[in-house]
Each structure stands twice: as C-alpha cells, then as structure tokens.
Amino acid sequence: MVVTVALVGNPNVGKTSIFNRLVGARQYVANWPGVTVSKIEGATEWKGNTLHFIDLPGTYSLSSKSIDEKITRDFLFFSPPNVTLLIADSLNPEQSFYLLIETLEITKSVILVMNSYDEVKRQKTKIDKYELQKHFGVPVVFTSAKTGEGISELKDMIVDIAKGKKLKMLFLIIKNMKR
C-alpha cells in the first residue's frame, strides 16, 4: 500500500527534522522563518508499505496570508494526503492547537506528533497523552527528532490510520467515555 503523509506545523517545531528521521534524508534544517518555503518530498518502505512524506512549510494557520501558508493550505485542500501529521513542540504545545483544529476541519486522518519529548522528560514535566487523545479525538505520538524516539511508533500509527484501524478504535473509546 502507498500512503501519502503530510507534515504540518508551526514554524520551528521540528517538521523537517522529523521528516529527515522518517525518510532517512538530510534536508537543511535551520531555526528561522522561511527556511522551508516549498514542499519537500521523500519516501521510505515500512513493513511492506510505501510511505510518501511531504514536508510542508510552517504556518500558524491555514488562512493563507503568506506564500508558505498558501502552499500548505492549498496542498491540504486540493491534494489531501491519506494521513496528516500535525507536529507540535512538546514544550509549548498549546501554540499548535489552533492549527490542529483547523486541520481537523479538513481531514479526520490526523496524528498529533508531540516533538521534543526528550526535553519534556529532561525537565521532568508530564504530558497526559490520553487526555490529549480524548480532547482532540486523534492519536498522539511522542517523538524526539534529536534522538529518534517514537519514530517507529509513528510509522506504525501512520499505517494503522491509513488502514482505518486505530482511528475507529480511538473514537469508540472516546464515545464510551462520554456515557
């Protein structure tokens, strides 16, 4: 199976670093706006599936006020991927929640990727993964682009979402919790 996966997120949350980990690439990574102003594509094989990744420019919203925002918005609207990864910074996740909500208005096949989780653990901070899953209705995977933590779990989740497995199970859990 070929699965198209878009990486979406605010600027400087580690989208390209996660992309590099996912496909084994070495795309240029820098910490200032405008570094990724076009789509970057790469693919990898994972457990008999081809995962085709598209690293989209960083954006705070899909309102398309700048060229890079327009590239991201147009791709999601006109070339919808099978799975969308919303990359968030685990140290400042609330900054990404507006974009997550906008992305969920377009597609339900979203995985919230909490990046820099190694830093969260180093600071001895706790993030309740299951509360995030319940609140947003999407699977959550903790990753570290620096160490590679969570990348295999993320690839497994991508395949499961593309096959419709985990998403339905998660919504059933949430539905039962509301009773």
Side-chain angles (χ1 to χ4, degrees), residues 100 104 108-112 130-140 161 166-168 170-171 174:
L100 173 61
L104 285 168
K108 298 299 179 209
S109 298
V110 176
I111 300 170
L112 176 57
Y130 301 103
E131 190 63 32
L132 285 172
Q133 289 179 153
K134 183 176 81 172
H135 183 75
F136 289 111
V138 298
V140 176
I161 293 295
K166 295 277 183 177
L167 195 59
K168 289 178 185 173
L170 179 62
F171 285 124
I174 292 168

Side-chain angles (χ1 to χ4, degrees), residues 18 47 57 65 80 85-87 101 124 132 141 174 179:
I18 291 289
K47 296 183 178 177
K65 294 177 183 167
L85 306 181
L86 192 296
I87 314 295
I101 291 166
K124 297 184 181 2
L132 285 172
V141 177
I174 292 168
R179 291 183 183 171

Side-chain angles (χ1 to χ4, degrees), residues 3-86:
V3 182
T4 304
V5 184
L7 281 74
V8 176
N10 297 153
N12 304 319
V13 295
K15 284 183 316 307
T16 302
S17 296
I18 291 289
F19 173 86
N20 287 339
R21 284 284 183 175
L22 289 166
V23 300
R26 294 184 183 202
Q27 288 296 324
Y28 179 66
V29 176
N31 195 24
W32 60 79
V35 174
T36 306
V37 292
S38 63
K39 302 181 300 195
I40 300 170
E41 300 186 39
T44 190
E45 294 293 320
W46 185 253
K47 296 183 178 177
N49 301 285
T50 301
L51 305 180
H52 179 229
F53 294 97
I54 297 98
D55 181 16
L56 296 168
T59 182
Y60 292 103
S61 110
L62 299 177
S63 62
S64 76
K65 294 177 183 167
S66 67
I67 293 170
D68 42 348
E69 288 176 338
K70 185 176 178 354
I71 291 168
T72 299
R73 187 212 57 204
D74 287 353
F75 182 83
L76 292 175
F77 274 111
F78 302 118
S79 305
N82 302 110
V83 178
T84 302
L85 306 181
L86 192 296

